[in-house]
Amino acid sequence: MNIYRMNIRKCIIIHGCPLGTDQDRDPEKRTYNKHWMPWLKERLIARGVETETPLMPSPWQPDYQQFKIEFEKLDVNEQTVLVGHSCGCAFLVQWLGETKRTIAKLILVAPWKIPDGSDEARKLFYTYPIDASIKERVGEIVMFTADNEEDDGKKSLQMFHEVLDGEIIALNGHGHYVFRYMKTAEFPELMEVILR
């Protein structure tokens, strides 16, 4: 399916799920277009790649069906790159398995699939079988991790990789790929993977 690589026209980035501070829940202040996402979006648009960073509903208490309603307002086709961060990865993999859609690339950044045992919403969100046929409908699959990612994050990546294969890129000191670990909003390694 490498034929799609030359035709990248659109990138959709799905943010992660915060714990839900008061600011996260304030409709006037709420944004998940942070960390490396604004930097990446600006540069992709400058390269002629339409880029969307939709705001998922109540991500501190993620619900797959609610995410799906919001996500499906966007056009996804064979020339689309889907990028997920943390729980955004879990959503994209479930959606691709359910819908059987064909896309150019799937990029999972610090993917997460292990729920907190005390959080019923996250348990429902993360607990589903990964559809191995996704790799037949995606031109390229890449997963980013870090040497200092949490143990459950490393286990989550292995859960996805065992079924989906794909390339693993491990960067030193990037933790869970949020600003407090990366110390920068720039993420050139991800941009390179999207554009290659």
Side-chain angles (χ1 to χ4, degrees):
M1 297 185 66
N2 294 345
I3 58 169
Y4 298 121
R5 291 186 183 178
M6 299 302 291
N7 299 314
I8 301 304
R9 295 287 180 266
K10 184 168 192 172
C11 180
I12 301 172
I13 305 166
I14 303 300
H15 61 74
C17 297
L19 295 177
T21 65
D22 290 340
Q23 181 168 324
D24 290 332
R25 295 178 191 220
D26 183 338
E28 298 300 319
K29 298 177 182 175
R30 193 157 67 95
T31 177
Y32 300 101
N33 190 14
K34 54 186 178 183
H35 309 306
W36 39 267
M37 293 175 199
W39 178 90
L40 181 64
K41 181 177 182 178
E42 180 182 322
R43 278 148 189 83
L44 288 174
I45 290 171
R47 296 285 189 99
V49 179
E50 179 186 346
T51 305
E52 304 273 1
T53 52
L55 182 63
M56 295 291 105
S58 304
W60 55 86
Q61 191 173 13
D63 178 285
Y64 173 77
Q65 292 301 328
Q66 293 302 312
F67 272 42
K68 181 180 176 184
I69 290 167
E70 189 65 30
F71 182 74
E72 289 186 344
K73 294 176 182 177
L74 306 171
D75 178 44
V76 177
N77 59 45
E78 297 84 2
Q79 297 176 341
T80 302
V81 176
L82 295 180
V83 178
H85 175 239
S86 192
C87 86
C89 301
F91 167 75
L92 290 174
V93 171
Q94 185 173 0
W95 185 83
L96 286 168
E98 179 186 296
T99 62
K100 311 299 184 201
R101 299 292 286 275
T102 297
I103 61 168
K105 298 181 188 186
L106 173 64
I107 303 171
L108 307 180
V109 179
W112 204 271
K113 199 178 186 311
I114 298 176
D116 179 339
S118 63
D119 188 330
E120 196 60 32
R122 290 175 195 254
K123 183 176 180 182
L124 291 170
F125 191 83
Y126 289 123
T127 307
Y128 63 87
I130 300 169
D131 178 8
S133 74
I134 289 171
K135 60 189 173 188
E136 299 167 10
R137 298 186 308 277
V138 176
E140 185 176 8
I141 297 174
V142 179
M143 303 179 193
F144 282 88
T145 189
D147 58 336
N148 59 334
E149 169 65 292
E150 293 180 36
D151 287 343
D152 279 353
K154 291 178 181 178
K155 288 176 191 172
S156 294
L157 180 130
Q158 287 306 316
M159 292 166 74
F160 286 117
H161 191 257
E162 283 172 12
V163 179
L164 300 178
D165 299 323
E167 177 186 359
I168 294 176
I169 298 175
L171 301 178
N172 292 333
H174 281 56
H176 197 56
Y177 286 82
V178 294
F179 188 83
R180 70 184 169 102
Y181 289 106
M182 296 173 70
K183 308 298 186 201
T184 178
E186 298 184 7
F187 195 172
E189 299 89 350
L190 175 53
M191 185 165 147
E192 180 182 335
V193 169
I194 292 169
L195 295 174
R196 71 184 182 191

